[in-house]
Amino acid sequence: MPVSSLMLPVFIQVALTFAVLLWAARLRMQALRSGAAKPSDVALRQPNWPPHVLQVANSYQNELELPMLFYAVVAFILITSTNSIIFVVLAWVFVISRLVRAFIHTGSNVVRLRGAAFGVGVITLAAMWVILAVRILATGA
């Protein structure tokens, strides 16, 4: 499997993270300019932003959490030359679940739906780690 087949979903996940970061920054600047939030009320990360600003900012924070394990497993897959179609498919499922979760989180924010999308990502990521561990331990590498 070419490295690019596994890296494309990584690039999409990174793009999602930057997109939500830039969106959150724009919303925060707008809230400060409009007076909806005051610098002294948010200077120490107090949650005193308008609700939609918090929603997008929380979504950005979420893109820094679970995806870290995704980046790590992809790095280990590439380092150990264990890439295969199963990892590529699972990587895409993970990233699509993150896109869906971010869309829900920053939009309707229906917790049940957001949780389902999150759960798909967790299960997919866990599968990637288990498969990698079995492959590494089975070969004694």
Side-chain angles (χ1 to χ4, degrees):
M1 277 303 1
V3 169
S4 61
S5 65
L6 191 58
M7 288 304 296
L8 184 55
V10 171
F11 295 147
I12 300 296
Q13 178 60 45
V14 169
L16 171 63
T17 303
F18 277 113
V20 178
L21 167 65
L22 293 173
W23 186 12
R26 184 174 55 86
L27 290 174
R28 284 177 171 175
M29 286 188 306
Q30 288 173 348
L32 290 169
R33 284 188 192 127
S34 72
K38 296 179 188 147
S40 61
D41 292 339
V42 296
L44 297 176
R45 298 187 75 189
Q46 306 96 310
N48 295 327
W49 295 99
H52 188 64
V53 177
L54 277 176
Q55 214 173 326
V56 174
N58 288 346
S59 186
Y60 165 68
Q61 189 64 41
N62 290 164
E63 294 311 325
L64 298 176
E65 296 169 350
L66 188 64
M68 288 314 203
L69 291 174
F70 174 66
Y71 300 135
V73 77
V74 167
F76 285 127
I77 290 165
L78 294 175
I79 289 168
T80 59
S81 299
T82 56
N83 192 18
S84 67
I85 189 68
I86 190 71
F87 284 130
V88 172
V89 169
L90 289 171
W92 276 113
V93 170
F94 177 77
V95 170
I96 290 167
S97 77
R98 297 304 296 180
L99 288 163
V100 169
R101 188 215 56 80
F103 179 78
I104 294 166
H105 197 174
T106 60
S108 66
N109 202 23
V110 176
V111 174
R112 180 179 51 78
L113 295 176
R114 192 177 88 206
F118 180 79
V120 168
V122 167
I123 291 166
T124 303
L125 189 56
M128 290 178 79
W129 276 101
V130 168
I131 293 166
L132 177 64
V134 167
R135 286 184 178 181
I136 297 297
L137 296 173
T139 63

